[in-house]
């Protein structure tokens, strides 16, 4: 009887039993070792067609077992102790169960004797036995054998050709010995084995023989390349490379690389290497994606060979040019050009080799230019917007190549002179390069953070302009924006940058003076040139010797893979001084020596700068233009009028300013920056000296006029304020003094990460304040407990990684009350951090089960959730109940280093970086009462309260008010905060400006208009350096106070890098680092098993365990379910979110306005526990990058962050109530307006008097809650309407108790002010993911990958995309829950899924059962959707709907 599977949902699974096709193939066909050799196979390959004669070996079917893949992990002895009956061909000692060590020695001399016998059959049998033994023997045992005698015997056997298999077995045995004991390569050389091995390369009897010879020679080439090359092996192997398969070709190329690396004789190059170069050049030719690895190895060979030639020739440039010309004549340049155009992954390496060739051979430059390299360079340089590692490296190498191609004027170098002649004969080359580089020069300069790369870009620009004709320069450097760029270069503090910028200024004055003179004045170029002459300004300049040294040495060390690092450094980067070839880079180019030399030239550099400044100013006098300063004069006049003006109106000033802004001749960044206008506008709107009611009224009328004028639309279909914002952002770009240079001792990102992960020891000393005996008894118990303990134990130390902040030290130190607590404190920072080769076995995973069935104490679940000190059990995680005496209350700890208090956010690295000596830093500490009192949000009722609050918040910029950029940022923030409250701030129901009618056409500015590309680029580059983010830097303070300046995605990266503690920051940098495949910080995972039936209880217990939450990434497993990893974890977060939304603590379910707490009288009595738990739950989800469907209201986030609220916020909590209260406010505004006009206040609500509405002083929607005493019996009238509106709004919005509990939970994992980086409207996306993205078919095609049985044209795959595009909102949520464990997509939609959603074909597991009978299943950890090949769209729709509705809440095998 045929078995039919029961129809049930094949639910989500992360442990999937059905293998993908790729996995199945791997399982069915295990990989064969490259060194294995099957003698019995009838398919042995041969060069000739000659029929192979049968011999004795074919009848025994002997085979040599494949070797272990690791030399240190040979097959265990016990693995080979099977019975001889099962393995009749195995050696006799195995069948007797004897150990290999005791068996091999008695028989080994017999084997050696057999090898030296005269009978070829006996030799062959001995070799067969030896090959099998060597494949199994351990290295330690092999080292005890007479290896020298064995090697000599095998070399002799290699020479025998009477039986073809004798040399084959001898070769295999030799390879096995070489694998185990690499040092025997010297014995092979001494025995004359190289010549014999080389002879086997030309033995065309069997290709197996040649392959084994190649493998053996390749292994030997690491140490004995010189000896091998003398035997002619290089030419033989390269000459026959096309006969072999890909893997052997790679071996040959590796051999060639080893030869090139150790090449130390010019004669060897001419005699042995040069004749084979043509074949290797041919290997560079693109032959499809299957040959890319061969292309790469060949490219490495030529790069290493070139640098070896440079090393050998040293100062003999003629000889070097001759050798390089040999390679060029073989077609190397053309081959490299083809690589650049056809193999994207090798562009960086190809450019690097071309750079070296062009630097040392002018013929390479000419040939490359004639081929049209400019187009390839342009295509590469345009990739700067892609912002990935491959593109970054390609761009850097392209710039190095460009700089090398363009000759240096007035150089004595022969090659540079030859290049100048080439460009003189072919002027189109410079024109093409100019068209390639100049349009992108500004973008490229701003793209790089590295001083070296910035200097390189400026060098290229200087070279091009110095040699370009005026007509080329007019197109790209005459426009206004280029003068702005030059002015920015002149604001640098780097001598090299300023000197080159001044040279460019002088060149432009010489070639196109009429076109640039006006722009130089209007963009502030001449102003900055004038300032550079001052002694004070010159003192600020430095050579940045340390950063430049670090970058260059790092690059030299990177090049050490190809040649001697110092020589590569010298020739590739053009250092003029001569260093010893044998010096170590760290010694030959020592930091002290480099600094000394740099300081020697600093004085001369400054002299040059003064000379260049004088020359530029002298030239400018010949092209003075008085009209160039008109705009700046007009702006300054307007600023003076505002500062000296009084009264309510400045309409005429605003009209003139708008005319200037919108004129065809745009205001420059310099003109607005130095006009004084931003400061004058602020003072006009602020009026700080006015505080009485009458003067406050003047202040509001000024603001009203400003809004009415500037928020109107202009003739260009945008508001005037949008144009003004653009001007202010330009001023910010011009005035900013932010630098992103890493600290003096910062190295590369990886080196920085290593520095941060290093442990240092901190010494702690308790130094309390003197206590007055009278006041002693007034001190709190919590203070006395700690004081008494540390008075006796006042000296201790901890080992801590440098990435940690002292905030974490303070929080843990507060918990210490006993020796046991002190021990925990000292061990708390023992993170599992170790830089090593990545190995999954290194990742510790701590598994703890929550077994609620064993809990007998009800206090375990009904505990105080604000629990900090927990006790651990290896099996059960249960926090203990905290005693009242353990609560920290208002106690704080103050830390001091060298008499200075350690401030909030300071890292251990900062202290170590400032430490003068190598002694342990001494940290002194004491306890004191906290001066901070947490206040809840306030309700702003009057217009002046609202406006003054906006002014106060606008002054919080995050930088010192003395900075030049401060006035511009302050005014920008004021405009942003006013714009943020549109249209509520200006409407008939507004508390601020009710006099403005609804008919006035005022438009809100899009938030994108406030984004600063310049500051965003600076912050992006700052986040690329792991050490800089641990130090104080002003650019890092801006995102919290001026979040409107930066895009959302950049701010999410910012909090990942800086907001969640040092360990998470370190992991963030490792994830971004290009060397992350080599090193990593071990991710500690906390694995917890829970029951579905007690989901919320389990979650509350987990979230009360602070140490578990802080120690690693939380992973969840469900009891009695097989799934593990990301899928069940996301399911846990999703299901807990549902439970949270169902609690009786919310005003609504958050469908429209987001979740907002209900009043306390209507809430569950455990609201404090729930909101503290929710704070930790949200914090943990943010830290672990889990999206949870808890859309908290933006107004609730205002309460959490202690931001004030207004009447307009009611609408964002309850739309109906908000609309109702705003209508009442409009009536109140009309009443005040009529009274001000001395008219009778006759107003009504929708045709009815207020008294007829029968409203009483109870809270809307909660009639049992009175707004005042006896509120049910007090009715609302026109006289008490204002009081009713205020009380109703406050009692609806001010849920401070819930917000404070949430904040306590949040701050147990990270500071709440971290979230000030985001705006209220962004929190839902940050925490929940995308709300509802349109699932367009074209978008789905781009981001969903068909694989393993499906292609983009498969009917089932196309049907799936169609169904997805037709999903309802509910179906989208169910589908996402099914495939990923979370109901929402991450920010960015499907493109933000990591890994991408992959759809594969699900094969029927039972014969005779149709695909239509199976349901879809998933691997949620990998976003891997498995769908059978259904016969129709209807079947797919039916089965998929059933699966997503019924199969998303269990994890089993599918």
């Amino acid at each position: 009887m045929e078995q039919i599977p029961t129809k049930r949902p094949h639910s989500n699974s992360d442990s999937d039993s059905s293998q993908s096709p790729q996995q199945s193939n791997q399982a069915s066909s295990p990989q064969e070792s490259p060194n294995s050799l099957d003698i019995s196979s009838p398919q042995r390959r041969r060069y000739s067609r000659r029929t192979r004669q049968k011999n004795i070996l074919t009848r025994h079917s002997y085979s040599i077992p494949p070797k272990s893949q690791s030399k240190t992990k040979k097959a265990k002895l016990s693995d080979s102790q099977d019975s001889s009956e099962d393995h009749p061909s195995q050696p006799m000692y195995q069948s007797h169960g004897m150990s290999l060590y005791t068996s091999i020695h008695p028989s080994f001399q017999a084997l050696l004797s057999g090898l030296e016998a005269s009978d070829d059959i006996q030799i062959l049998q001995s070799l067969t036995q030896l090959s099998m033994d060597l494949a199994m023997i351990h290295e330690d045992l092999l080292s005890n054998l007479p290896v020298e005698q064995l090697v000599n015997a095998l070399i002799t056997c290699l020479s025998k050709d009477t039986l073809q298999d004798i040399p084959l077995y001898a070769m295999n045995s030799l390879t096995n010995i070489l694998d185990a004991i690499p040092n025997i390569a010297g014995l092979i050389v001494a025995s004359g084995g190289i010549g014999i091995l080389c002879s086997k390369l030309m033995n065309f009897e069997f290709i197996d023989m040649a392959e084994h010879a190649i493998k053996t020679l390749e292994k030997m080439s690491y140490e004995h390349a010189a000896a091998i090359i003398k035997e002619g092996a290089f030419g033989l192997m390269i000459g026959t490379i096309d006969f072999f398969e890909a893997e052997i070709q790679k071996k040959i190329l590796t051999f060639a690389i080893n030869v090139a690396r150790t090449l130390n004789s010019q004669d060897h190059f001419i005699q042995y290497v040069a004749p084979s170069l043509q074949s290797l050049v041919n290997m560079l030719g693109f032959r499809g994606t299957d040959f890319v690895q061969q292309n790469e190895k060949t490219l490495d060979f030529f790069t290493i060979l070139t640098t070896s030639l440079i090393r050998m020739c040293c100062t003999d440039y003629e000889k070097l040019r001759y050798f390089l010309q040999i390679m060029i004549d073989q077609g190397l340049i053309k081959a490299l050009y083809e690589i650049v155009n056809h193999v994207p992954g090798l562009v960086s390496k190809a450019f690097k080799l071309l750079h070296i060739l062009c630097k040392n051979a002018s013929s390479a430059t000419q040939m490359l230019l004639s081929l049209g390299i400019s187009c390839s360079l342009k295509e590469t340089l345009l990739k700067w917007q892609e912002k990935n590692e491959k593109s970054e490296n390609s761009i850097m190498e392209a710039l190095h190549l460009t700089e090398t191609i363009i000759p240096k004027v007035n150089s004595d170098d022969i090659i540079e002179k030859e290049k100048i002649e080439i460009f003189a004969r072919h002027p189109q080359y410079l024109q093409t390069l100019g068209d390639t580089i100049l349009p992108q020069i500004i973008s490229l300069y701003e793209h790089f953070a590295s001083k070296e790369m910035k200097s390189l870009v400026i060098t290229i620009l200087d070279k091009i302009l110095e040699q370009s004709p005026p007509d080329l320069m007019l197109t790209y450097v005459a426009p206004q924006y280029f003068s702005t760029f030059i002015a920015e270069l002149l604001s640098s503090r780097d001598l090299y940058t300023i000197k080159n910028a001044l040279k460019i200024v002088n060149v432009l004055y010489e070639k196109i003076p009429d076109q640039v003179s006006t722009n130089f004045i209007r963009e502030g170029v001449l102003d900055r040139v004038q300032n550079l002459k001052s002694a004070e300004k010159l003192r600020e300049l430095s050579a940045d010797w340390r950063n430049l040294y670090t970058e260059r040495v790092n690059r030299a060390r990177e090049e050490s893979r190809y040649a001697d690092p110092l020589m590569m450094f010298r020739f590739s980067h053009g250092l003029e001084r001569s260093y010893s070839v044998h010096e170590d880079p760290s010694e030959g180019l020592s930091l002290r020596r480099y600094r000394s030399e740099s300081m020697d030239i600093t004085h001369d550099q400054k002299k040059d700068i003064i000379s260049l400044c004088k020359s530029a100013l002298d030239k400018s006098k010949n092209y003075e233009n008085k009209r160039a300063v008109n705009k700046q004069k007009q702006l300054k006049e307007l600023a003076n009028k505002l500062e000296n003006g009084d009264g309510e109106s400045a309409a005429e000033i605003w009209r003139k300013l708008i005319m200037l802004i919108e004129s065809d001749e745009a205001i420059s960044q310099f003109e607005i920056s130095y006009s004084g206008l931003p400061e004058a506008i602020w003072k006009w709107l602020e009026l700080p000296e006015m505080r009485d009611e009458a003067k406050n009224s003047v202040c509001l009328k000024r603001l009203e006029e400003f809004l009415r004028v500037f928020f109107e639309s202009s003739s260009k279909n945008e508001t005037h304020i949008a144009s003004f914002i653009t001007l202010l952002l330009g001023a910010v770009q011009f005035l900013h003094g932010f630098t992103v240079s890493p600290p003096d001792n910062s190295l590369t990102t990886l080196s920085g990460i290593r520095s941060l992960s290093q442990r240092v020891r901190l010494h702690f000393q308790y130094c309390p304040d003197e206590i007055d005996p009278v006041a002693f008894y007034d001190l709190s118990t919590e203070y006395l407990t700690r004081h008494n303990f540390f008075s006796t134990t006042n000296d201790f130390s901890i080992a801590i990684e440098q990435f940690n902040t002292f905030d974490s030290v303070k929080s843990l130190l507060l918990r210490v009350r006993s020796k046991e607590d002190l021990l925990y404190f000292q061990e708390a920072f023992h993170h599992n951090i170790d830089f090593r080769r990545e190995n999954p076995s290194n990742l510790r995973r701590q598994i703890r089960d929550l077994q609620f069935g064993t809990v007998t104490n009800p206090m375990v679940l009904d505990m105080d959730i604000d629990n900090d000190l927990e006790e651990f059990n290896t099996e059960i995680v249960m926090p203990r109940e905290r005693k009242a005496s353990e609560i920290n209350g208002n106690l704080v700890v103050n830390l001091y280093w060298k008499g200075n208090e350690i401030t909030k956010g300071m890292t251990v690295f900062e202290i170590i970086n400032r430490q003068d000596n190598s002694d342990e830093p001494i940290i002194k500490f004491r306890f004191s009462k906290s001066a901070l009192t947490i206040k809840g949000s306030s309700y702003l009722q009057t217009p002046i309260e609202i406006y003054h609050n906006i002014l106060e918040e606008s002054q919080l910029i995050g930088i010192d008010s003395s900075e030049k950029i401060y006035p511009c940022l302050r005014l920008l923030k004021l405009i942003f905060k006013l714009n943020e409250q549109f249209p509520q701030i200006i409407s008939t129901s507004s508390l601020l400006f009710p006099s403005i009618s609804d008919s006035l056409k005022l438009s809100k500015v899009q938030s994108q208009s406030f984004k600063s590309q310049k500051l965003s680029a600076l912050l992006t580059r700052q986040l690329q350096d792991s050490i800089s983010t641990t130090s104080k830097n002003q650019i890092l303070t801006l995102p919290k106070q001026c979040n409107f300046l930066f895009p959302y995605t950049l701010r999410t990266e910012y909090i990942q890098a800086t907001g969640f503690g040092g360990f998470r920051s370190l992991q963030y940098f490792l994830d971004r680092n290009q060397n992350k495949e080599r090193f990593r910080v071990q991710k500690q995972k906390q694995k917890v098993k829970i029951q579905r039936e007690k989901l919320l209880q389990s979650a509350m217990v987990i979230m009360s365990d602070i140490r578990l939450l802080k120690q690693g990434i939380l992973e969840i497993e469900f009891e009695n379910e097989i799934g593990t990893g990301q899928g069940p974890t996301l399911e846990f977060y999703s299901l807990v979110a549902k439970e949270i939304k169902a609690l009786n603590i919310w005003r609504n379910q958050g469908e429209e306005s987001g979740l907002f707490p209900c009043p306390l009288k209507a809430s569950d009595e455990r609201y404090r526990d729930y909101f503290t738990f929710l704070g930790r739950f949200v914090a943990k989800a943010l830290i672990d990058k889990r999206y949870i469907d808890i859309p908290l209201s933006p107004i609730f986030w205002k309460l959490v962050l202690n931001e004030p609220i207004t009447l307009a916020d009611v609408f964002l909590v309850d739309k109906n109530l908000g609309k109702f209260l705003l209508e009442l406010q409009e009536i109140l505004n009309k009443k005040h307006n009529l009274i001000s006009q001395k008219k009778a206040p006759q107003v009504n609500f929708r045709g009815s008097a207020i008294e007829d509405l029968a409203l009483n002083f109870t809270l809307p929607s909660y009639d049992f809650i009175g707004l005042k005493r006896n509120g049910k019996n007090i009715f609302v009238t026109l006289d008490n309407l204002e009081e009713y509106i205020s009380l109703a709004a406050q009692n609806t919005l001010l849920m401070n108790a819930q917000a404070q509990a949430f904040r306590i939970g949040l701050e147990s994992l990270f500071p709440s002010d971290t979230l000030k980086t985001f705006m209220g409207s962004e929190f839902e996306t940050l925490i929940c993911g995308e709300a509802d993205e349109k699932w367009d078919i074209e978008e789905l095609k781009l981001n969903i990958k068909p694989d393993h049985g499906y292609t983009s044209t498969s009917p089932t795959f196309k049907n799936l995309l169609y169904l997805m595009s037709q999903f309802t909102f509910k179906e989208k949520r169910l589908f996402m829950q099914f495939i990923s464990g979370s109901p929402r997509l991450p920010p960015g939609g499907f493109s933000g899924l990591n890994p991408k959603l992959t759809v594969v074909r699900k094969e029927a597991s039972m014969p005779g059962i149709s695909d239509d009978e199976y349901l879809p299943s998933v691997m949620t950890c990998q976003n891997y959707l498995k769908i059978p090949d259904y016969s129709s769209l209807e079947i797919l729709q039916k089965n998929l709907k059933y699966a997503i509705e019924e199969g998303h809440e269990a994890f089993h095998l599918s």
Side-chain angles (χ1 to χ4, degrees), residues 821-998:
D821 293 341
L822 181 59
L823 181 62
Y824 166 69
F825 169 75
Q826 290 173 310
E827 294 178 350
F829 297 98
H830 195 274
H831 287 279
N832 185 28
I833 296 178
D834 188 15
F835 280 92
R836 61 186 63 190
R837 297 285 175 182
E838 184 173 351
N839 186 342
S841 65
N842 290 334
L843 308 182
R844 290 197 304 131
R845 299 164 67 94
Q846 297 187 4
I847 302 177
R848 298 184 170 95
D849 295 342
L850 290 178
Q851 300 175 350
F852 284 95
T854 63
V855 176
T856 57
N857 182 4
M859 285 302 295
V860 172
L861 296 182
D862 296 333
M863 60 193 170
D864 176 8
I865 292 296
D866 189 23
N867 187 0
D868 288 333
L869 270 176
E870 303 83 16
E871 291 180 352
F872 279 76
N873 185 287
T874 55
E875 294 296 330
I876 304 173
V877 180
M878 288 295 172
R880 64 177 172 86
E881 184 181 7
R882 197 168 60 167
K883 299 177 182 178
S885 62
E886 295 177 351
I887 300 174
N888 294 329
N890 293 325
L891 198 65
V892 296
V893 60
N894 305 107
L895 303 179
Y896 301 88
W897 176 71
K898 291 189 174 181
N900 300 313
E901 185 170 5
I902 295 175
T903 56
K904 184 177 182 180
M906 186 175 286
T907 61
V908 175
F909 171 78
E910 291 180 71
I911 296 297
I912 300 301
N913 198 35
R914 299 175 192 174
Q915 187 79 359
D916 297 331
N917 51 46
S918 59
D919 297 338
E920 294 178 8
I922 298 175
I923 308 298
K924 297 184 178 182
F925 69 99
R926 66 169 180 244
F927 297 98
S928 61
K929 189 175 181 180
S930 173
L932 293 175
T933 54
I934 300 177
K935 296 181 180 179
S937 297
S938 58
Y939 179 77
L940 304 178
Q941 185 169 353
T942 66
I944 203 64
E945 282 179 346
I946 296 173
Y947 183 44
H948 277 166
N949 174 260
I950 292 174
L951 289 173
E952 287 173 6
E953 289 187 356
S954 298
Q955 296 178 74
L956 301 176
I957 302 300
I959 61 174
D960 193 89
S961 59
S962 62
E963 296 285 342
K964 292 180 181 179
I965 198 176
Y966 179 82
C968 296
L969 286 176
R970 179 178 57 183
L971 184 57
L972 268 172
K973 189 170 182 179
L974 172 63
I975 295 172
F976 174 79
K977 297 195 86 53
L978 293 170
N979 181 72
E980 199 178 27
Q981 299 192 32
F982 264 76
Q984 293 87 356
I985 196 174
I986 301 180
S987 68
T988 53
S989 60
S990 171
L991 285 173
L992 272 177
F993 308 118
S995 60
I996 299 179
S997 67
D998 284 333

Side-chain angles (χ1 to χ4, degrees), residues 602-769:
T602 298
H603 182 69
D604 295 335
Q605 293 271 22
K606 290 183 178 180
K607 275 187 175 181
D608 293 341
I609 285 175
I610 294 174
S611 175
L612 288 167
C613 287
K614 185 177 183 302
S615 174
L617 292 173
D618 290 342
K619 292 171 183 173
S620 68
K621 293 176 183 177
N622 299 324
Y623 302 95
E624 289 183 348
N625 186 345
K626 294 182 179 180
R627 293 182 56 190
V629 298
N630 285 348
K631 284 266 185 179
Q632 190 173 12
K633 284 183 179 180
Q634 292 173 347
L635 290 172
K636 286 184 176 180
E637 288 174 3
L638 293 179
N640 290 332
K641 287 181 180 179
L642 275 178
E643 288 182 350
N644 300 323
D646 55 11
E648 299 176 355
S649 177
E652 184 62 21
I653 296 174
W654 302 138
R655 185 185 65 81
K656 289 182 178 180
L657 177 58
I658 289 173
M659 288 179 61
L660 286 173
I661 291 173
E662 297 185 352
S663 64
D664 294 334
E665 191 178 30
I667 298 173
S668 72
Q669 294 179 0
F670 169 72
E671 289 165 342
I672 189 68
S673 299
Y674 287 90
S675 66
L677 202 57
E679 182 71 22
I681 292 175
W682 173 268
K683 289 180 178 179
W684 174 261
L685 296 176
E686 182 196 25
L687 283 180
E689 71 276 7
M690 296 186 178
R691 284 294 178 263
D692 58 57
E693 187 173 343
K695 293 180 178 179
N696 282 340
S697 176
V698 172
C699 177
L700 291 176
K701 287 182 179 179
R702 288 183 173 185
L703 176 63
E704 177 183 343
E705 181 186 65
F706 178 81
L707 294 173
R708 186 159 30 86
V709 171
F710 277 90
F711 279 81
E712 277 190 317
S713 297
S714 67
S715 57
K716 298 179 181 179
N717 295 324
E718 64 175 10
T719 57
H720 302 307
I721 197 67
S723 302
F724 187 56
I725 290 168
T726 303
L727 266 183
L728 289 175
L729 288 173
V732 167
Q733 177 174 337
F734 190 86
L735 291 171
H736 83 84
F738 304 122
T739 59
V740 294
S741 300
D744 285 346
N745 63 341
S746 174
L747 302 178
T748 60
T749 302
L750 184 58
S751 301
I753 293 172
R754 279 176 167 165
S755 299
L756 292 178
S757 67
Q758 289 176 354
R759 289 181 184 278
V760 295
R761 186 162 292 279
L762 301 181
H763 201 77
F764 284 81
Q765 291 180 356
Y766 181 54
C767 301
D769 291 328

Side-chain angles (χ1 to χ4, degrees), residues 395-413:
I395 292 169
M396 290 172 63
E397 296 303 335
L399 287 172
H400 277 290
L401 175 59
T402 304
E403 190 273 336
T404 302
I405 289 175
I406 304 172
K408 182 179 180 181
V409 180
N410 301 324
S411 173
D412 294 331
D413 187 82

Side-chain angles (χ1 to χ4, degrees), residues 206-320:
F206 300 108
I207 199 170
D208 299 314
M209 178 70 74
E211 287 181 355
H212 276 275
I214 289 169
K215 293 174 185 177
T216 303
L217 289 170
E218 183 259 336
K219 290 182 175 69
M220 295 175 62
S221 67
Y222 288 95
E223 298 293 337
H224 301 278
I228 296 173
I229 197 174
K230 290 178 183 178
E231 297 290 339
F234 188 88
L236 291 173
M237 292 171 71
I238 300 301
T240 59
I241 191 169
D242 289 330
F243 287 95
F244 297 98
E245 293 183 348
E247 289 303 316
I248 301 301
Q249 289 183 352
K250 294 173 191 174
K251 294 283 185 184
I252 295 174
L253 293 172
T254 301
F255 162 77
I257 290 171
N258 292 337
V259 168
R261 181 178 288 112
T262 58
L263 193 65
N264 54 18
S265 168
Q266 298 179 14
D267 292 336
H268 285 177
F269 171 73
I270 295 294
Q271 185 176 354
Y272 302 114
V273 178
S276 301
L277 288 179
Q278 185 62 62
S279 298
L280 286 164
V281 169
N282 295 338
M283 288 295 293
L284 271 180
F286 179 69
R287 294 180 287 174
T289 55
D290 293 339
F291 290 88
V292 170
Q293 289 184 332
Q294 288 93 312
N295 292 149
E296 183 173 13
K297 281 186 172 291
T298 310
L299 195 53
D300 288 344
F301 163 77
F302 277 108
T303 304
I304 294 169
L305 177 62
T306 304
T307 52
S308 292
L309 291 174
I310 293 172
R311 169 173 47 79
M312 286 190 296
C313 295
C314 198
T315 56
D316 191 350
Y317 292 108
E318 290 300 323
K319 182 70 75 173
L320 174 62

Side-chain angles (χ1 to χ4, degrees), residues 329 445 679 717 801 1404 1450:
D329 291 341
Y445 180 84
E679 182 71 22
N717 295 324
E801 290 90 359

